[in-house]
């Protein structure tokens, strides 16, 4: 556990709600420490057999772009899908604040002339205005308290009339009976036993989890054509053994950076609860998503 993640955990453990900048500091330290944290999304598919990365890539490709910018590209999972669904003339740029993840992505796409990668903050993009036909983001905009800052940069680098497409979970806490939430509570019970004042961190702008909230986010800026706003919901799922599900808690925000003795207890509790819920040897995990597409105003 790095100093950045350790200090952030202590903020939550002490019962104080973090500031946006404290969250951004943790976010950067977390992905430096755990650069492969997004692997879970590559294993979960919708009923058509598509991952959330593929759903987003196909939506982006449908707009016929020649240039695409992937915000928060991480180690390159969405880029892989974009390369597959777009033609050979399409250039794909990716930015991420994590040097570790960009290094992995750079190695992954070494020699791929269509891909260019940079370490950068989505609130201050190193591109000229109107540089891209399409901006995409996977499980990223929902992690920014200052979503307006990211939105304004996306609108700046988009060409007029072109699209922003993103995928974000649509509030996985809404169904408290869902397997993911039952396991979440098992993990939280362990934390609360040691830190009774613990509060779950504030990670982003909560408006991103509702359709009305998303409309508000884009309507408050005059740069977007709200009439083009499209929102589609879908679920992804997979079957795993309880011990493998528990292992993924090594790569989740907060749980993955808990102090080692506490984290051991979290993993054991999640696995035990998972065995109670499993059908035979396997446990079904489902996560709800929303695909959002909106065009920048043509004027």
């Amino acid at each position: 556990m790095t100093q950045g993640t350790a200090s952030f955990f202590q903020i939550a453990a002490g019962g104080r709600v973090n500031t946006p900048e404290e969250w951004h500091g943790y976010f950067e330290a977390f992905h430096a420490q755990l650069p492969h944290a997004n692997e879970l999304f590559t294993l979960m598919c919708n009923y058509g057999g598509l991952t959330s990365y593929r759903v987003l890539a196909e939506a982006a490709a449908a707009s016929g772009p020649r240039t695409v910018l992937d915000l928060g590209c991480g180690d390159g999972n969405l880029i892989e899908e974009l390369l597959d669904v777009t033609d050979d003339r399409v250039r794909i740029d990716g930015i991420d604040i994590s040097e570790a993840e960009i290094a992995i992505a750079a190695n992954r796409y070494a020699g791929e002339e269509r891909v260019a990668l940079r370490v950068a903050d989505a609130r201050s993009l190193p591109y000229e205005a109107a540089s891209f036909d399409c901006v995409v983001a996977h499980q990223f905009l929902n992690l920014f308290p200052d979503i307006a800052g990211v939105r304004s940069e996306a609108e700046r680098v988009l060409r007029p009339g072109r699209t922003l497409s993103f995928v974000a979970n649509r509030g996985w806490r809404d169904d408290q009976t869902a397997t993911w939430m039952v396991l979440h509570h098992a993990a939280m019970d362990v934390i609360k036993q040691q830190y009774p004042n613990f509060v779950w961190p504030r990670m982003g702008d909560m408006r991103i989890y509702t359709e009305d909230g998303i409309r508000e986010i884009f309507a408050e800026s005059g740069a977007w054509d709200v009439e083009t706003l499209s929102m589609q919901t879908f679920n992804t799922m997979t079957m795993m053994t309880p011990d493998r599900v528990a292992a993924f808690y090594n790569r989740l925000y907060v749980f993955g950076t808990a102090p080692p003795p506490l984290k051991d207890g979290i993993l054991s509790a999640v696995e035990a609860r998972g065995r109670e819920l499993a059908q035979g040897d396997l446990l079904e995990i489902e996560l709800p998503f929303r695909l959002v597409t909106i065009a920048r105003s043509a004027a």
Side-chain angles (χ1 to χ4, degrees):
M1 184 166 57
T2 66
Q3 181 59 36
T5 59
S7 59
F8 187 85
F9 187 89
Q10 290 306 317
I11 290 170
R16 178 170 70 80
V17 176
N18 56 281
T19 66
E21 286 310 312
E22 286 170 338
W23 164 250
H24 284 303
Y26 173 80
F27 184 76
E28 184 174 359
F30 175 93
H31 285 281
Q33 182 178 338
L34 299 166
H36 288 293
N38 291 328
E39 181 191 1
L40 179 62
F41 300 128
T42 69
L43 305 176
M44 306 186 72
C45 296
N46 67 7
Y47 294 116
L50 306 181
T51 67
S52 51
Y53 289 113
R54 185 69 176 209
V55 169
L56 178 54
E58 290 188 354
S63 68
R66 285 291 174 262
T67 51
V68 181
L69 173 61
D70 182 3
L71 299 179
C73 67
D75 54 5
N77 293 325
L78 178 56
I79 291 173
E80 179 177 343
E81 300 294 351
L82 288 166
L83 286 169
D84 191 49
V85 299
T86 57
D87 67 48
D88 291 343
R89 293 171 294 176
V90 177
R91 175 187 170 91
I92 302 165
D93 282 66
I95 67 101
D96 200 283
I97 202 169
S98 170
E99 293 184 9
E101 292 197 332
I102 287 292
I104 293 170
N107 182 67
R108 185 173 178 177
Y109 299 110
E112 176 53 75
E113 294 182 355
R114 295 172 58 195
V115 175
L117 302 163
R118 298 193 196 187
V119 176
D121 190 319
R123 297 168 294 178
S124 181
L125 293 172
Y127 304 103
E128 294 182 359
S131 296
F132 295 95
D133 296 323
C134 184
V135 173
V136 294
H138 181 279
Q139 274 293 98
F140 182 72
L141 293 182
N142 48 309
L143 297 174
F144 269 84
D146 177 25
I147 196 169
V150 181
R151 183 200 63 211
S152 65
E153 277 295 270
E155 63 196 34
R156 183 183 67 79
V157 301
L158 265 176
R159 295 187 176 98
R162 303 315 296 254
T163 60
L164 165 68
S165 295
F166 67 90
V167 159
N169 79 69
R170 62 179 196 268
W172 50 269
R173 295 190 185 196
D174 289 348
D175 182 1
Q176 293 291 312
T177 66
T179 299
W180 192 259
M181 279 310 301
V182 174
L183 298 179
H184 174 85
H185 288 305
M188 285 298 299
D189 287 346
V190 175
I191 292 178
K192 287 282 193 176
Q193 287 174 10
Q194 186 166 342
Y195 301 100
N197 295 324
F198 184 93
V199 293
W200 189 256
R202 181 176 296 164
M203 299 179 178
D205 188 326
M206 296 301 292
R207 294 179 297 172
I208 202 74
Y209 296 111
T210 68
E211 291 191 0
D212 287 344
I214 292 169
R215 287 191 185 92
E216 182 179 307
I217 288 168
F218 289 98
E220 67 187 16
S221 167
W224 300 92
D225 183 355
V226 181
E227 294 298 318
T228 67
L229 180 61
S230 170
M231 293 182 276
Q232 302 173 32
T233 61
F234 65 97
N235 293 336
T236 61
M237 63 83 61
T238 190
M239 302 291 290
M240 291 185 185
T241 57
D243 61 319
R244 192 175 186 202
V245 174
F248 272 102
Y249 273 67
N250 279 306
R251 302 182 184 183
L252 299 181
Y253 295 125
V254 182
F255 300 124
T257 53
L262 179 63
K263 187 162 68 171
D264 291 342
I266 290 170
L267 301 184
S268 295
V270 170
E271 182 175 351
R273 187 65 56 83
R275 293 193 184 283
E276 295 172 1
L277 299 173
Q279 301 175 5
D281 295 329
L282 295 174
L283 185 65
E284 181 179 280
I285 300 295
E286 186 175 60
L287 291 178
F289 286 99
R290 181 177 285 109
L291 168 67
V292 179
T293 298
I294 188 170
R296 191 186 186 283
S297 295

